[in-house]
């Protein structure tokens, strides 16, 4: 497994092109599995299920068609993006389980900081219950999304991955309906009152990853 930190704010198109190249080489057995940790400049991405009505402010930031599953999401400074390029074919060819493992990876990462992240049926991603906020119209507790999941598979190799809100400008999410969900908001680790740095999050992501994605004993001919 190769872990790479991309410095600065990674250009979206260039990163996507490099990721697609890496996925092709993994599929051919020419490269190791990889996780890239990075931040993007402010932008919106549209997944394969995106509804144009959910793009509230189309001129606010650049909008890219991502090709991954899901709807509209935001990327920007203060958000840790982890692009996960794994051989899902060698890991059982169970896409639903793979997405669940990504969610559980984030949940374990959040637990390192004392935050209880939760999965929700019918809502991909990771959620945090907010008892400090007024209940919803139906009386149910408010929930905020702290991490989004969006993946694509090509020849059973995954790409795209997760985005975890560490300290982004949460007002930037106002330009979209995040993941098409109007009844809940978004939050971040710092918004929850935790003085967590990106380095802290990266260390937690790397420490918890093997619990959900054990290394494969597959030879690679090069990286």
């Amino acid at each position: 497994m190769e872990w790479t930190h991309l410095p600065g704010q990674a250009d979206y198109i260039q990163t996507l092109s490099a990721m697609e190249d890496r996925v092709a080489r993994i599929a051919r057995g020419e490269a190791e599995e990889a996780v890239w940790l990075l931040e993007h400049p402010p932008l919106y991405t549209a997944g394969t299920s995106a509804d144009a009505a959910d793009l509230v402010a189309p001129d606010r930031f650049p909008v890219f068609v991502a090709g991954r599953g899901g709807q509209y999401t935001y990327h920007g400074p203060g958000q840790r993006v982890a692009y996960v390029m794994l051989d899902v074919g060698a890991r059982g060819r169970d896409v639903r389980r793979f997405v669940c493992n990504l969610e559980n990876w984030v949940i374990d990462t959040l637990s390192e900081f004392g935050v209880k992240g939760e999965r929700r049926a019918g809502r991909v991603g990771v959620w945090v219950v907010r008892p400090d906020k007024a209940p919803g119209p139906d009386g149910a507790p408010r929930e905020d999304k702290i991490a989004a999941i969006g993946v694509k598979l090509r020849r059973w190799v995954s790409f795209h991955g997760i985005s975890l809100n560490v300290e982004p400008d949460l007002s930037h999410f106002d330009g979209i309906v995040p993941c098409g969900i109007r009844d809940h908001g978004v939050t971040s680790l710092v918004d929850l009152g935790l003085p967590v740095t990106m380095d802290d999050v990266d260390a937690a992501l790397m420490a918890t990853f093997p619990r959900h994605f054990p290394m494969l004993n597959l030879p690679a001919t090069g990286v």
Side-chain angles (χ1 to χ4, degrees), residues 74 125 165:
Y74 165 78
N165 297 333

Side-chain angles (χ1 to χ4, degrees), residues 134-171:
D138 59 356
R142 291 283 185 180
E143 297 178 346
D144 286 344
K145 193 168 194 175
I146 195 167
I149 313 287
V151 297
K152 182 175 181 177
L153 269 65
R154 183 172 294 159
R155 294 179 61 189
W156 286 104
V157 178
S158 68
F159 56 119
H160 298 280
I162 70 168
S163 56
L164 173 59
N165 297 333
V166 182
E167 193 180 6
D169 185 336
L170 295 178
S171 71

Side-chain angles (χ1 to χ4, degrees), residues 15-109:
T15 305
L16 183 61
S17 177
M19 182 167 48
E20 290 180 336
D21 178 71
R22 181 59 178 257
V23 165
R25 291 195 292 128
I26 293 171
R28 294 195 300 265
E30 298 172 358
E32 295 176 322
E33 295 180 307
V35 179
W36 292 352
L37 302 175
L38 61 126
E39 295 173 83
H40 284 303
L43 57 91
Y44 298 129
T45 66
T48 54
S49 302
D51 183 340
D54 291 340
L55 183 59
V56 179
D59 299 324
R60 186 169 185 181
F61 297 124
V63 181
F64 298 96
V65 176
R68 54 157 176 80
Q71 303 185 45
Y72 280 105
T73 192
Y74 165 78
H75 293 317
Q79 181 190 72
R80 174 52 82 215
V81 173
Y83 287 137
V84 181
M85 290 155 276
L86 298 181
D87 188 342
V88 180
R91 293 173 181 273
R93 297 197 173 201
D94 189 331
V95 178
R96 183 170 297 182
R97 180 183 175 188
F98 175 67
V99 172
C100 180
N101 285 342
L102 288 173
E103 292 172 329
N104 288 335
W105 175 35
V106 173
I107 289 170
D108 272 4
T109 297

Side-chain angles (χ1 to χ4, degrees), residues 121-140:
R123 286 193 257 142
V124 175
V126 178
W127 301 82
V128 177
V129 177
R130 299 299 302 270
D132 55 315
K133 293 187 174 182
D138 59 356

Side-chain angles (χ1 to χ4, degrees), residues 108-123:
D108 272 4
T109 297
L110 293 173
S111 71
E112 296 287 300
F113 306 105
V115 174
K116 184 180 181 182
E118 301 181 62
R119 301 171 63 236
R120 289 289 181 266
R123 286 193 257 142

